[in-house]
Amino acid sequence: MTDVLRARLDPLLECAAVERGPMGNAQEVWFVDASSPGGAERQFVLRRSAGGGALEDSELGLEFAVLGALAERGFPVPRVYFSELDESSLGRPYFVMDRVPGTPLGHISSADRAPVARPEGVAAATRGELARWERVYLRRRPGPVPLLGTLLAWLDVHVPGHDGAPRLLWGDAGPHNILVDGPRITGLLDWELAHVGDPLEDLGAAVWACLPGTLDPDEVVAGYEREAGPVDRERLRYFEAFACATRSVMVVAGVDAFLKGEAGPPAAALGQHLLLANLERAATLIGWARDPGEPPTRPALRPDASETAAGVARYLRERVVPAVSDPRARRELRTAAALLDTVALRAGPELGDGDLALEDAATKAERERSPARAKLRSRLLAGLAAQQTMITPLDDLYRPRG
């Protein structure tokens, strides 16, 4: 790291420490401490592509450019210094920026992309962004997620017809990406999803991110209204459902990365817990209802039991065993991995009840506004209810602690 800092920033800098940050499910975050011969200390953040996972389709080059432009306009964002986006000396694309002080706001209460396009009108911008996420879903899904595919179709049909100019959007607004030091905001982080569109898309994402123990979403909306004027609540509900859908696509992509060995167990866990929670929340927001008499179905949930066991076994062998020094513990971990591999072989793949055909029929009905929509929605929600009964340990894991 010293060679990189000297070549790109200051020939007198000496790297004193490099530590992986606890955050960064989508992109790696590394804390870098450096010093100069005079004793002056400097702290940097190195943000590197994870090489696979939920935001593999985002681009650090865009984030680097947006951060630079925002800093020039006085926004509280870290100063960026340099980037390597193609032939990286660190193996994958990265950039270096200042480390700013502060605590995430949410923790206090408990190939180069072209410049951002400017479509004509916010509705066109929303459709363009939605189409991008649909392409990611179709390319990265390990298998059909019928309720998610149908939700994306519904969102496309019901894009708000608001007449206004598109604005630069953060793309990942929320308390998890805001650093504060006392009453002062010190940093607005993670701009790799920046694009232009309806300003309420960012507000919908911020409301989505107000999980229990963070901020009150009503207070967030009220604060927004004090600065920007009254908010159309129906439009806001649409964009909260929009956030549910796009974040669902992210975790489905994370499952794909887990199955390829590019991500660890958290990607598999969130790919089930957060996916189902998002889909249930979106269905409630847009008013979908399940017929109580609808017979249960069992759509596939990826990773299935066999894939989960094999992936956890791989993680134990490749990541955990090398980090353990005790010989007995290493043997027991290898034994545990072998047992999980055996479970994977014995369990075999799980097949959904015609998932692809159901998704095709439901998305077609939404786009054509067919009378069959209500029945198909009910069937999708019945499948969601059945899936939720199979992941109660994950729900317990992610339940907020008092």
Side-chain angles (χ1 to χ4, degrees):
M1 195 64 219
T2 293
D3 291 341
V4 171
L5 292 175
R6 288 179 173 178
R8 302 302 302 272
L9 195 58
D10 184 336
L12 298 179
L13 280 178
E14 180 81 24
C15 180
V18 178
E19 181 182 0
R20 177 77 182 266
M23 68 294 289
N25 287 324
Q27 312 288 1
E28 294 178 0
V29 174
W30 295 84
F31 298 136
V32 180
D33 293 338
S35 61
S36 61
E41 296 183 353
R42 299 182 67 176
Q43 293 185 316
F44 304 100
V45 170
L46 186 148
R47 191 157 162 80
R48 187 173 76 153
S49 169
L55 292 182
E56 180 184 24
D57 296 278
S58 64
E59 299 198 34
L60 288 180
L62 172 65
E63 182 177 12
F64 182 83
V66 169
L67 283 170
L70 291 170
E72 290 178 358
R73 289 159 176 79
F75 282 81
V77 296
R79 177 184 177 186
V80 291
Y81 290 103
F82 62 89
S83 64
E84 292 188 10
L85 303 176
D86 296 319
E87 297 298 323
S88 169
S89 59
L90 299 182
R92 292 195 295 273
Y94 75 92
F95 67 81
V96 170
M97 59 186 177
D98 269 333
R99 183 175 179 181
V100 296
T103 303
L105 181 57
H107 295 177
I108 291 178
S109 302
S110 201
D112 290 351
R113 184 168 173 170
V116 178
R118 295 186 179 277
E120 304 233 347
V122 291
T126 299
R127 287 193 179 91
E129 183 67 6
L130 183 61
R132 187 179 76 83
W133 283 107
E134 286 183 294
R135 291 192 297 271
V136 174
Y137 165 63
L138 292 173
R139 186 171 68 253
R140 298 296 307 277
R141 64 182 186 181
V145 185
L147 184 48
L148 176 54
T150 308
L151 173 60
L152 290 167
W154 184 94
L155 289 166
D156 185 44
V157 171
H158 293 85
V159 171
H162 175 67
D163 183 20
R167 295 287 184 260
L168 175 64
L169 304 184
W170 191 346
D172 198 10
H176 57 298
N177 280 331
I178 301 175
L179 294 183
V180 296
D181 187 6
R184 185 171 64 95
I185 293 177
T186 58
L188 306 176
L189 309 178
D190 293 7
W191 288 80
E192 71 264 52
L193 296 177
H195 59 283
V196 297
D198 191 318
L200 289 196
E201 184 189 327
D202 260 355
L203 183 57
V207 169
W208 173 88
C210 291
L211 303 177
T214 59
L215 299 180
D216 182 339
D218 291 335
E219 292 183 1
V220 171
V221 175
Y224 184 96
E225 290 184 313
R226 285 194 295 270
E227 299 295 329
V231 167
D232 180 335
R233 292 305 196 271
E234 191 64 27
R235 214 164 107 233
L236 179 58
R237 276 192 293 274
Y238 172 90
F239 281 112
E240 187 180 347
F242 188 102
C244 290
T246 57
R247 275 60 184 168
S248 294
V249 174
M250 291 180 197
V251 296
V252 167
V255 169
D256 178 60
F258 172 78
L259 296 177
K260 293 176 179 176
E262 299 168 348
L270 286 173
Q272 298 175 73
H273 165 78
L274 189 55
L275 173 66
L276 300 190
N278 273 335
L279 294 178
E280 180 181 37
R281 181 173 173 178
T284 300
L285 285 165
I286 62 180
W288 287 7
R290 176 190 174 190
D291 181 347
E294 183 70 40
T297 61
R298 186 171 176 176
L301 185 60
R302 309 289 293 275
D304 62 23
S306 175
E307 293 167 335
T308 301
V312 173
R314 179 179 60 241
Y315 179 79
L316 290 176
R317 283 194 306 272
E318 297 179 0
R319 300 290 298 276
V320 179
V321 171
V324 174
S325 58
D326 181 75
R328 179 172 180 174
R330 289 168 62 91
R331 285 195 303 271
E332 292 179 352
L333 284 167
R334 284 194 289 265
T335 301
L339 283 170
L340 288 170
D341 278 331
T342 303
V343 170
L345 291 172
R346 292 170 63 182
E350 298 174 9
L351 302 177
D353 298 334
D355 289 353
L356 184 56
L358 175 58
E359 180 172 330
D360 288 344
T363 56
K364 184 173 184 289
E366 292 296 336
R367 295 189 187 280
E368 296 179 353
R369 299 178 182 261
S370 163
R373 288 176 294 171
K375 178 68 174 175
L376 288 165
R377 291 171 183 174
S378 180
R379 183 176 173 188
L380 291 168
L381 294 175
L384 174 65
Q387 289 174 322
Q388 288 172 321
T389 64
M390 298 185 289
I391 64 161
T392 51
L394 293 177
D395 291 339
D396 292 340
L397 174 66
Y398 289 110
R399 183 174 293 116
R401 300 292 188 260

